[in-house]
Amino acid sequence: MDLGLSIPILDIDGGTAAIGPELAKVGAAAEGAGATSLWFMDHFFQIEPTGLPAEANMLEGYTLLGYLAGHTSQISLGLLVTGVTYRHPGLLAKTVTTVDVLSGGRAVLGIGAAWFEREHVGLGVPYPPLAERFERLEEALQICNQMWDPENNGPYEGKHYRLQETLCNPQPINRPKVLIGGSGERKTLRLVAQYGDACNLFGTSPDEVAHKLRVLRGHCDDAARDYDAIRKTIMVNDLSPAPETRDDFVRTMAEYATLGIDEVIVFPPTGSPAKWIDSIAPAVKQLAEIG
């Protein structure tokens, strides 16, 4: 099992001027630990699940990934996950391509239907009903696929988006893998089966994750998709390891590994994330030994 790292807290010890240097240290610490992926959030206000108020620090995600591209050399980089409402899909594909080119082929497109209404309303971003957001998500996935097809620069005609040209040069160095976030059984996991290279589930319990994986397998059967070709990841916000709980964390993750989970993504809970990553680095090797 691989370990990924997501950094949701940007109230960094030392204040605003310390954010950039600390995130550079995060990149070095993540690669030094052997983590597989490094993720940030796609938000403009801080979100309640972190335990912080909306007024807490937050940075624009793709600018942040560009900065990390210049401070890392191996680890995959993505947002967990891009809200489909925030960027026109044609521009999103170009933005992700830019991160991929500048990172030497390490960009991942994490994407979902978006959910934080306060953020949309506060910044004047349209917030369509859920059904429409899922329609837009599916069209965005189709547009990104077409933008990353060097043989198809033609038009795209959808219900919500219309592009006369899907020109994207340079093409990505490595066509970005598409991770679709969320556990919804009727829509989200169907989109994973049709368009995704990876899913991202909530690590609520092994039984719940096993159920979601059975649903995904059913959607794969319906779509004639190879279930085993999809990378399965989970987030475990409440189980982030600490040095004193690292062994218990690994034992718990072993239950998910037996279900076929390829990667667990954890969240540094402090304002000094690089130091925290260093402290749990042995967990990376322990996880690699269980699956």
Side-chain angles (χ1 to χ4, degrees):
M1 178 182 273
D2 295 325
L3 183 74
L5 296 159
S6 180
I7 313 298
I9 296 174
L10 297 177
D11 285 3
I12 298 299
D13 295 346
T16 301
I19 295 175
E22 177 67 17
L23 293 180
K25 293 178 184 177
V26 162
E31 293 195 323
T36 303
S37 59
L38 182 58
W39 306 86
F40 296 89
M41 298 199 299
D42 191 27
H43 287 293
F44 302 89
F45 297 172
Q46 183 56 274
I47 60 173
E48 290 182 359
T50 65
L52 297 175
E55 293 81 4
N57 289 342
M58 186 52 56
L59 296 177
E60 194 283 315
Y62 281 103
T63 309
L64 202 165
L65 290 183
Y67 177 77
L68 264 295
H71 286 86
T72 56
S73 60
Q74 303 171 39
I75 200 164
S76 295
L77 300 170
L79 299 187
L80 198 65
V81 289
T82 304
V84 72
T85 50
Y86 296 130
R87 301 167 189 83
H88 189 285
L91 302 183
L92 173 62
K94 189 66 175 183
T95 300
V96 177
T97 298
T98 301
V99 174
D100 190 78
V101 170
L102 296 182
S103 67
R106 294 182 284 124
V108 179
L109 172 58
I111 192 167
W115 62 271
F116 194 11
E117 184 175 7
R118 175 178 175 179
E119 189 171 63
H120 289 75
V121 173
L123 296 177
V125 177
Y127 188 65
L130 182 61
E132 181 179 329
R133 298 201 309 273
F134 270 101
E135 291 173 353
R136 289 179 178 273
L137 175 57
E138 183 160 14
E139 291 190 15
L141 292 164
Q142 294 169 351
I143 289 166
C144 286
N145 279 338
Q146 190 165 325
M147 292 279 288
W148 292 331
D149 179 356
E151 303 302 319
N152 186 356
N153 296 334
Y156 174 88
E157 292 287 336
K159 178 179 178 180
H160 301 286
Y161 302 108
R162 294 170 181 81
L163 290 70
Q164 289 193 3
E165 296 181 86
T166 51
L167 181 65
C168 185
N169 286 326
Q171 282 284 298
I173 293 173
N174 293 317
R175 183 186 176 112
K177 300 295 186 183
V178 175
L179 178 149
I180 300 173
S183 302
E185 296 180 15
R186 289 193 305 110
K187 294 182 179 180
T188 303
L189 295 181
R190 176 185 64 81
L191 292 176
V192 171
Q194 289 184 279
Y195 303 101
D197 300 296
C199 65
N200 183 245
L201 307 173
F202 297 110
T204 48
S205 72
D207 286 345
E208 179 67 12
V209 169
H211 169 71
K212 298 296 183 181
L213 292 176
R214 287 193 293 271
V215 172
L216 175 59
R217 187 183 289 275
H219 285 305
C220 286
D221 291 342
D222 292 342
R225 177 78 188 280
D226 181 3
Y227 169 84
D228 293 326
I230 297 172
R231 183 170 176 82
K232 290 86 175 174
T233 75
I234 57 170
M235 295 187 297
V236 289
N237 193 26
D238 296 331
L239 291 173
S240 291
E244 63 273 13
T245 63
R246 199 168 53 228
D247 292 343
D248 290 338
F249 170 78
V250 172
R251 280 192 290 270
T252 300
M253 291 305 103
E255 298 182 58
Y256 291 101
T258 62
L259 300 175
I261 295 299
D262 300 297
E263 181 175 359
V264 55
I265 300 170
V266 298
F267 300 76
T270 74
S272 298
K275 184 183 298 184
W276 182 87
I277 293 168
D278 288 337
S279 76
I280 60 95
V284 178
K285 183 177 180 181
Q286 290 174 276
L287 288 169
E289 293 172 350
I290 66 172

